[in-house]
Amino acid sequence: MFPRLSLLHVWFKSAYFQRLKALTPEENTRSQHGLFFQDGQRRVDYVLTYSVKKSSGSHSTRQSVGGEKLRAKQTQRTKDSSSVHSSTVIDMELGCSGEIFNSQEDQKAFRREEFEGKLRDMGLELEKDEDGKIPGVYFVKIHAPWNVLCREAEFMKLKMPTKKSNSIVEKISTLISKILEPLHPHVEEHQPKNVKHLSHTFSREKQHLICMNICIYAFLAGITSLLGSGVYTAAYPLHDVSSIFVRLLYEEWANYSVFYKYQPIGLVRKYFGEKIGLYFAWLGLYTQMLIPASLVGVIVFLYGCATVDDNIPSMEICHPRNNITMCPLCDRVCSYWKLSTACGTARASHLFDNPATVFFSIFMALWAAMFMEHWKRRQMRLNYEWDLTGFEDEEVSNNTTDHPRAEYEFKVMQKSLRKRQKSQDKIEKLTFQDRLPAYMTNIVMMLLMIGVTFAIVFGVILYRISTKAALHMSSSLITRNHVQLTVKTTAAIINLVVILILDEVYGAVARWLTVLEAPKTDKSFEERLIFKTFILKFVNAFAPIIYIAFFRGRLVGRPGSYLYVFDSYRMEECAHGGCLMELCIQLSITMLGKQLIQNNLFEIGIPKLKKLIRYIRSKQGAFQEEERQKKLTRYETDHFLEPFGGLTPEYMEMIIQFGFVTLFVASFPLAPLFALLNNIIEIRLDAKKFVTELRRPVAARAKDIGIWYNILRGVAKVAVIINAFVISFTSDFIPRMVYQYMYSPDGSMHGFVNHTLSSFNVSHFQDGKEPMDPSHFGYPVVICRYKDYREPPWSNTPYELSKEFWAVLAVRLAFVIVFQNVVMLMNDIVDWLIPDIPKDISLQIHKEKILLVELFMKEEQGKSYIIDSSTSTDGKENCSKHNNNSKVAPPRSRRHTNSTKSF
Amino acid sequence: MFPRLSLLHVWFKSAYFQRLKALTPEENTRSQHGLFFQDGQRRVDYVLTYSVKKSSGSHSTRQSVGGEKLRAKQTQRTKDSSSVHSSTVIDMELGCSGEIFNSQEDQKAFRREEFEGKLRDMGLELEKDEDGKIPGVYFVKIHAPWNVLCREAEFMKLKMPTKKSNSIVEKISTLISKILEPLHPHVEEHQPKNVKHLSHTFSREKQHLICMNICIYAFLAGITSLLGSGVYTAAYPLHDVSSIFVRLLYEEWANYSVFYKYQPIGLVRKYFGEKIGLYFAWLGLYTQMLIPASLVGVIVFLYGCATVDDNIPSMEICHPRNNITMCPLCDRVCSYWKLSTACGTARASHLFDNPATVFFSIFMALWAAMFMEHWKRRQMRLNYEWDLTGFEDEEVSNNTTDHPRAEYEFKVMQKSLRKRQKSQDKIEKLTFQDRLPAYMTNIVMMLLMIGVTFAIVFGVILYRISTKAALHMSSSLITRNHVQLTVKTTAAIINLVVILILDEVYGAVARWLTVLEAPKTDKSFEERLIFKTFILKFVNAFAPIIYIAFFRGRLVGRPGSYLYVFDSYRMEECAHGGCLMELCIQLSITMLGKQLIQNNLFEIGIPKLKKLIRYIRSKQGAFQEEERQKKLTRYETDHFLEPFGGLTPEYMEMIIQFGFVTLFVASFPLAPLFALLNNIIEIRLDAKKFVTELRRPVAARAKDIGIWYNILRGVAKVAVIINAFVISFTSDFIPRMVYQYMYSPDGSMHGFVNHTLSSFNVSHFQDGKEPMDPSHFGYPVVICRYKDYREPPWSNTPYELSKEFWAVLAVRLAFVIVFQNVVMLMNDIVDWLIPDIPKDISLQIHKEKILLVELFMKEEQGKSYIIDSSTSTDGKENCSKHNNNSKVAPPRSRRHTNSTKSF
């Protein structure tokens, strides 16, 4: 999503900062462990690895000699500090040694030499390490000598304290911050508080960044294609274990014992770059926001528990006197049953189906809107604190200059080759026509995959129906008693397993489809990939839930005219008390299962496994491994770590979780609590992973979380409408209301259960479908009841949908309209009330502006005064002008004010 | 809405540009008409007027003498070009002449002198004109000598042509532009095409603006309060009649004969500033977008006309054989009637109530979304072309530095006076508590005003009901026959008149409430005022229409149990065929009436009238006026023009029109056409008004249309839901669908009319309510029919709402949900598909960035090379460095590159 270009220049920048830090007394004796070049002076900023096959031994030796020669040359060169101009010598040398390279392995070596030559031209310093302890793997260590690239490295900063006089408000906030003190990580000494450097506007930092662009552009354009073609096997910066940052990160961040503390985001950003910093900031805010949500959720759940005994409908069901005879739940083998046996389910469903859930789903919709707004503000604050406010322009320009992807260029080349026969024009880009086949494949495959998801959902339904029917027919009483439990459990597990497997499949499919599409830039590639992956995984996670929420129990038909699948299986019904209970079970199993298995097991287990495999594969003799481990240099240890694969899986996991928290929250008020518990672990787990399990990612610059924000917004929007439908269609909220205000004789809920049940004359059963044991209860059943709003057998139009059905439907739909529009309006109001930029930040920015203008004005006045007194000659004027100028204002501030022009 | 500060500095800027222009051969001999100072050299940039009462003649003479003296001094001073430092002399002089000022008139004069002294201090040049031809009105002419304020006025520009090689696409676009040629105004020679100056980034223009700030800040902070206290009566810049701009604007813009052409927006912006330029650009785009909308609207209307004879329901109504006897429309005096008499109405309502209107309202919802998107793009393009891309920052900083409004400061002062007894703290701002009474008044008054609107709507209903009843009782047959027409016409006219009157009242109320609220800054004042005015005017314009659309005919009750207002008047019913027809009539009357009367009559008539009154009032002897008119100087002529009152009324008018075009478009597909016709006139009318009827407004800078965009978005959002309700509830679309697919025996519409009519047994009429003439048709009526879905008299629950009612209601609500969500989704897709920044603009911006970086890099490389060769001493280094530097790159380009740092 972000241009490699800007990634690296920030890496260089942070590398530079760290080097400054490393010269403090904290500097330790680790240099021999591979953090520094052989001379112990120059830090290893970046490592490239490549492998040479043992079989082609002769060439390898030849190469090794070349490498030897190079290193000698280089060590010599490094003695006379800056080495830009002399590197051409090496290039010539390489040029003549290229004559005998002919095999594929040789060509790779040649390309390596060529590339390394280029790097040296750019002023980078390289050191090769070919006698490492890992056979077949060779390392190229890179050092970026900052001073060679850009001379003027002084960062001129103007400190501007923002602390004002202490009022009562101030005192209260001091008190609050004291109370919150233990929640903050102990990294204060490294994070200057309330003192903001005006570095962004005043310093020449930006200049350096522009300066770096030119160098890094060539570097990264090269390295990606070289990695792709296997010339190098890996490229990564080193974990900076000697730095104080890492120690702090270990102690105050990647540590389960500090789970209750805020994250040291500033440190994370400094070590891993803005992009990863933003991810953790976002995750932190999300987790923080989950606290009130789960609190309210628990209260709502407790309210349900407390009022379960006052619930008239479940009391009526449980009352033994109301011995309503219900129609059988399956054909022939099932018999009539008493409603009072559904007592337990009815009571349980009240826990999740009470008026408080309506309030809770409105609350959660607003919560989602608040979360969005708060994130916007947090992002703004971080942008300000991290000096990113002017970053966007740069990013845009980098994106468009970004090198097209190799795949894209290959396709363009193919096209021009094909076209060359016809015309001589150079083809510059792929047109819509060229992409049409890929687009068509994309659409077809996406639809197919979604179709597969639905087919699997249907398959699970079939499994449930058929197993249930089979088990019902079993003669064993125990089997029949455990039917429900067995079927539900196995079905839920199957569902979960299928979701987990398909998740992996869909990830691969999405990547394949995006490669097929051949987007032009990396950013576009990432966005398209994310979009596709999101659609597929989202459908995969929510299809079974949507089925249960909106379709299950609605396609049953009615006694005497049931709906059959494949002419033999009756569609499932919900237990009495609505499908909400089943929805709730499915939700909790999927959510917990996904979180436990996929996130934690996969995330911790698989990287460890991979690391182990990589380690085992590379070692020849298994016995000396422990000693070897100790002797390994830093860059060798890092080589065994899992490479950083981007933040997409992390975000995706959280977005799907956000879906669970918001989409069906009306049916499962405990979802935020589960999410909260998961995330508290997740933050530290991810932190540990980033610090210890993964190779250090290249620090990437980013101003926002990109497409993820849009996806979040989309999920929040969909959540409103889905919750409206869950409340009005899945829960019994609306029928209860309608009964109470339209039909109840005394305005109470008494008689509600009877009202929702329609009558069926058992003589109307189709032949062969009636129960085998009609006199099960000791008396012949004439009328059985079923849950639906239909005309009684004795009306003119028996078993047709009754007036009550239509009335309830109308009220349900009206509720959806009202709910959706009210919530959308409230969201808009929240959006409007909370300003996007925090007030203190906008004040701060404003103050800086004034300061700049004032400085500029002073400068300008002095200047114009001087020009007044010396506007005559033209030859020597330039010098004298500047001289005069520097008398009025010192040169430093002059440099500052120059940069104010574009304000 | 915009800070006075930035207003004026742009005015100064444009004044400067015009002065450059005025030195071309176009310069004519008009200077004696008051465009220049007495010396014919210095242009009059701004005029202040004040009046001195004749009664205090002695002081006036004294003052006049002082003025004489001043002018003499000043004329002398102007001879030695720059005059910043010497103006202090005058101040001292003024200081000692202040001794005898004691009356109010004298104090005003003193404050004037004081203020003018300040202006001179700032470097402005003033000329007084006290022997003008208008008695009692005195003029102070101001000239802004640019060169005094900021010396370096050279605008260094780098031209960068964007024309590329001509491909086929290029040729086609050339062809298209040739076809569109006559639509463009003939101002090309003054608008360089495809050549964009890099002035914004490279020039020192910005520097000047910052420089100007300081001067103008004092100027405008002063002038507003002086105008408020009557020290000056007016302050305005002059219409620049000598400039070629004005001639072009007259010919190519403010001219009805060029109505078919695009507007010369560039010129408008140059002459009136960005804010007014954006208004006209917006109006132009809106009008342009109305063309496709009105085209589709006309097609939809024609489709209705063409299919009117195939419409089965109206055929059934009109067929003489279907002699359905309907229940009487009023108590006692009305008799039964035959449905076939409603034939005309039924046929007419088909014109607006056919399936095409459903399509049309979806189309219009998308149209509104497209309009928004296109406006965003147009705005972006204008921002780029007008060099406003970096403007926002500046604006923000200006707004916050903006002087608090005088009213606000007064309130703060009052508060501190009150509090001084208790504490010594200086009060800095009003807290929420201080504002609470004002807020409460605001809320109460707003609710009251909205209540008044609804009361008036109800009053008109009562008028209609009672007049109808009274006229029905009349013995004259002719009167009774014309009942409907008379009542409808008078009611609509009353409605219109009430709307027009209340519009004015509400404008005043909103202003009063906002003053009461005492917002801190002008921007906040304007936004609050606009918001209140919008709410009130919107409710006022649409309340009667909403009543007709959603309530009329729904609160009627049923035969035998009608709903009565004040126990005597039955509520109104709609004519057969739904209320859509009536809605349509009301809409067209309100819209046309408002547009014709309010916009055109008021807008042209009232300014002319005011101008006349001001002229008559000021002239003493009425006879020599014509000669005098000719002799009047430019600044005197401008004094008789209406002062510019802001763009709020113009925008408000258009937003209300936008409401008519989008909100109820489902019922009136011709609305876009009416709006289009109105706007074609409106553009030229507004243009004429700005060029000839109003004093020239101070050029104001603006980047966007501000709060209006949000209001437009709001209206477009509301439009979706209102159209959904109009289609499903006001029109008969849903009942027809339901009948066709649920009840029709043969799937056709035959029998629909019968289906929608319920039966009533006339013996169930309440006593005294039955018709006086029951055997009207020659036979006794037993069952009469009425339009509703109710149970027949012979059912178990007679006259209760029937199952059909609930089914239709459910489908109606379902349609609302589907319509709203589908349209919202489509809007989101439109939003997502159309990029906010036009591709050519983003490419252009990108190119400029690259150019900047390249230039900078060249510069930097040169510099570092030189520094390399001379980094030794520190004393003289500064000078030598700059000297070296200027050898590598010329000083000009060096200045450019300095300004690139903040990119």
Side-chain angles (χ1 to χ4, degrees), chain A residues 71 83 118 138 211 229 273 288 336 343 355 388 435 536 543 632 659 682 727 738 760 766 784 787 824 848 854:
Chain A
R71 196 161 67 242
S83 55
K118 263 192 221 152
Y138 301 92
C211 173
S229 57
Q288 208 176 315
Y336 305 106
C343 173
L388 294 169
R435 288 162 176 278
L536 290 176
L632 282 180
E682 176 80 22
I727 293 172
V738 170
F760 181 72
Q766 285 167 286
C784 70
K787 200 182 179 214
M824 285 199 314
E848 285 177 17
E854 273 172 13

Side-chain angles (χ1 to χ4, degrees), chain A residues 92-111:
Chain A
M92 279 153 59
E93 212 171 340
L94 285 171
C96 41
S97 67
E99 55 213 345
I100 57 152
F101 293 168
N102 39 25
S103 81
Q104 203 198 358
E105 203 61 28
D106 287 341
Q107 214 191 341
K108 278 186 187 175
F110 176 69
R111 285 180 67 184

Side-chain angles (χ1 to χ4, degrees), chain A residues 207 803 820-821 856 879 902, chain B residues 207 801 820-821 856 879 902:
Chain A
Q207 207 163 316
K803 199 201 276 188
Q820 191 188 359
N821 286 290
F856 175 75
C879 175
S902 16
Chain B
Q207 207 162 316
L801 292 171
Q820 191 188 359
N821 285 291
F856 175 76
C879 174
S902 17

